[in-house]
Amino acid sequence: MTTPPATTTEVRVLLADDQPLVRASLDMIITDAPDLTVVGEAGTGAEAVRLAAELRPDVIVMDIRMPGMDGIEATRLITAGAPDAAGVPRVLILTTFDQDEHVYGSLRAGASGFLVKDMALDDILAAIRVVAAGNALIAPTVTRRLIAHFARQQPASSPATEPANAVGPARPAAITDREREILTLVGLGRSNAEIAAELSITTATTKTYISRLLTKLDARDRVQLVITAYESGLVGRN
């Protein structure tokens, strides 16, 4: 299905999953949300890449395991170029942790976060809104465990996790001691409020530090800051 670009402030969502039932279910719950709208559906990674360019959605809810081009490669192609350039969608991976060992690769490919397929429906809608607002989906109880798992399983230089033109943050050599503290806590899955409380600073100051880290490390979003914290050894892999 395709829909011409809308002129409203609704978040425009593209669904990419090879299972029609999954797409139909997501379409149903998203359509019921007043601030979200489904503009297209793709059953393969290649189709997702094509529709992303054609429909210019705000967010793509992307499965990983699809025939032909998988969701990781599709994500890499869709997010290539300037991270926040106009018309570049943000990708939210939809996967199952117990069955899929490519989440770390998808984050390295430029995804802004991920969902697990057994999440509550309201959480799925909330996650789409978080990503559409330009933030990354970092849940302390889920994301930290997943990223730690894949950081242990896949070396940073692995072709599966770092293709030639992957969106990748720089090493944190040039950051200050305070920024290093902030980066470590981000890697541990701490929220801004938790970081502020732990370091006895304000939430606004925390946000300023994180903004500086994004710039200094050439990171797309908070997800990549977490990856950098693991890859640089600031957060242990044991």
Side-chain angles (χ1 to χ4, degrees):
M1 59 172 285
T2 59
T3 302
T7 57
T8 69
T9 57
E10 290 179 321
V11 175
R12 305 174 67 254
V13 182
L14 173 65
L15 303 177
D17 196 295
D18 64 336
Q19 299 181 39
L21 182 58
V22 172
R23 297 200 307 270
S25 299
L26 289 172
D27 193 335
M28 185 180 302
I29 65 168
I30 291 172
T31 299
D32 286 341
D35 58 332
L36 306 175
T37 184
V38 175
V39 297
E41 296 182 10
T44 67
E47 189 176 11
V49 173
R50 178 179 64 80
L51 290 179
E54 179 182 323
L55 301 175
R56 302 186 304 281
D58 301 304
V59 176
I60 302 173
V61 179
M62 179 84 73
D63 189 15
I64 290 180
R65 292 182 173 174
M66 291 184 285
M69 181 188 296
D70 66 15
I72 295 176
E73 176 66 8
T75 296
R76 184 181 67 81
L77 294 175
I78 289 168
T79 61
D84 296 314
V88 177
R90 300 180 71 84
V91 177
L92 191 58
I93 294 295
L94 178 64
T95 188
T96 303
F97 173 67
D98 290 337
Q99 299 177 359
D100 199 326
E101 298 189 352
H102 299 291
V103 175
Y104 183 70
S106 72
L107 298 179
R108 292 290 291 131
S112 295
F114 64 86
L115 303 175
V116 289
K117 289 187 176 179
D118 59 357
M119 286 180 67
L121 299 182
D122 285 346
D123 290 339
I124 293 176
L125 297 179
I128 293 172
R129 295 182 182 108
V130 166
V131 170
N135 299 311
L137 195 65
I138 297 288
T141 59
V142 179
T143 307
R144 184 177 65 223
R145 184 179 72 249
L146 284 171
I147 292 179
H149 173 78
F150 290 109
R152 288 196 302 271
Q153 295 298 317
Q154 304 214 34
S157 60
S158 167
T161 62
E162 190 169 4
N165 61 343
V167 180
R171 291 290 181 265
I175 64 177
T176 66
D177 289 342
R178 176 60 92 182
E179 289 167 345
R180 196 175 300 272
E181 285 183 287
I182 300 285
L183 180 59
T184 300
L185 293 173
V186 170
L188 291 171
R190 302 288 197 273
S191 67
N192 287 353
E194 290 170 333
I195 293 172
E198 188 161 341
L199 298 180
S200 299
I201 58 178
T202 66
T203 301
T205 299
T206 301
K207 290 180 180 178
T208 298
Y209 275 118
I210 289 175
S211 178
R212 290 175 185 169
L213 284 168
L214 290 170
T215 300
K216 284 187 175 183
L217 301 178
D218 192 26
R220 180 186 178 90
D221 50 34
R222 200 179 183 106
V223 167
Q224 290 200 334
L225 291 182
V226 174
I227 292 171
T228 299
Y230 277 97
E231 291 187 340
S232 63
L234 291 178
V235 177
R237 299 186 183 187
N238 299 323

